[in-house]
Amino acid sequence: MRPAAVEALERDTVAAVAPPQTLEIGGWLVPLDNGTIGRARSAAPLSHDMGPEAVGEIEAAYRERGLKPAFRVADVPSLAAVREELTRRGFAPEQPTIFKTAFIAELAEFSETSARILSEPDDAWGAVFLGEGFDPADGAHRIAALTRSPGAIYGAAGEDGETQGVGVMSFGAAWAGIHGMRTAPAHRGKGLAAAVLAAMGREARARGVERVFLQVEEANAARRIYRKAGFSSAWRYHYWR
């Protein structure tokens, strides 16, 4: 992926989760948040050719503010020196996550099942997002962060007019982003996630957006759905904590 695309993706990734403050230190984005969203509280390089020179300054910036230092680093050969420096400082890699991208045109045609698009989450949307099978404290923090994301939309789908599957789409300077895909446990396997993804894709297409990204933990079975929706892997990363 071209360096300019990597930088655009990282900037739009952080903007989507709307941390209270973001620093830029030595070519890194350093979001400052004490919540539960990893992307909102871990530093990420704006280039995959970054060296380790800024790691110490970034660690100090977190500690000076009473925050736990964390880094989000792609598993690419050109960042090996960064990972070596983090290891030397006592950090360890956790939570392997896949960064995926797709074309909006393909996503918009993924499902013909209808879904609703909301300008803000309603009570039924929140009930799924905070419901059975999900951590309510983490969910509440994620809703608060995502509703701060400028222009975000909220997808909702279900049977008989109910809301049983939900998702969020953010709009950055260059990319749309998919976040918060959740389906109530009793209604999984009914195509609700596909309906939500496609509906949000159609909204993005209407806005003239061409590309979309998402990030999914490596062990998450939802990767199968995203592959069918046209997403392909851009890179894998770990959180270093």
Side-chain angles (χ1 to χ4, degrees), residues 111-225:
S111 172
E112 296 181 355
T113 303
S114 63
R116 300 179 300 283
I117 296 296
L118 311 172
S119 59
E120 58 184 31
D122 59 15
D123 290 343
W125 192 100
V128 173
F129 201 86
L130 302 173
E132 178 188 354
F134 305 111
D135 181 334
D138 173 63
H141 184 86
R142 288 176 184 269
I143 290 177
L146 291 168
T147 52
R148 293 196 300 266
S149 182
I153 58 171
Y154 305 83
E159 300 172 317
D160 302 321
E162 300 292 325
T163 297
Q164 296 147 351
V166 300
V168 185
M169 177 175 275
S170 63
F171 294 93
W175 293 74
I178 298 290
H179 315 272
M181 292 294 300
R182 297 186 174 185
T183 301
H187 296 278
R188 291 173 182 167
K190 298 180 179 180
L192 299 180
V196 169
L197 285 168
M200 294 192 298
R202 289 189 288 271
E203 177 65 22
R205 183 175 61 187
R207 298 186 183 200
V209 180
E210 296 182 353
R211 300 297 302 271
V212 60
F213 71 85
L214 61 79
Q215 294 167 59
V216 57
E217 290 190 30
E218 191 171 47
N220 193 331
R223 290 176 61 192
R224 175 181 55 82
I225 298 172

Side-chain angles (χ1 to χ4, degrees), residues 27-97:
W28 292 66
L29 282 182
V30 186
L32 305 173
D33 195 358
N34 61 358
T36 61
I37 303 176
R39 285 165 285 170
R41 55 190 179 96
S42 57
L46 290 171
S47 167
H48 286 174
D49 293 319
M50 197 69 65
E53 295 80 11
V55 168
E57 185 178 353
I58 293 168
E59 180 179 1
Y62 278 116
R63 295 194 188 282
E64 287 166 3
R65 292 164 174 79
L67 300 173
K68 291 184 178 180
F71 296 78
R72 183 167 52 83
V73 181
D75 298 342
V76 295
S78 52
L79 290 174
V82 171
R83 295 190 294 273
E84 290 170 4
E85 176 64 11
L86 290 170
T87 300
R88 189 185 71 80
R89 289 175 173 269
F91 290 84
E94 303 174 354
Q95 202 175 334
T97 302

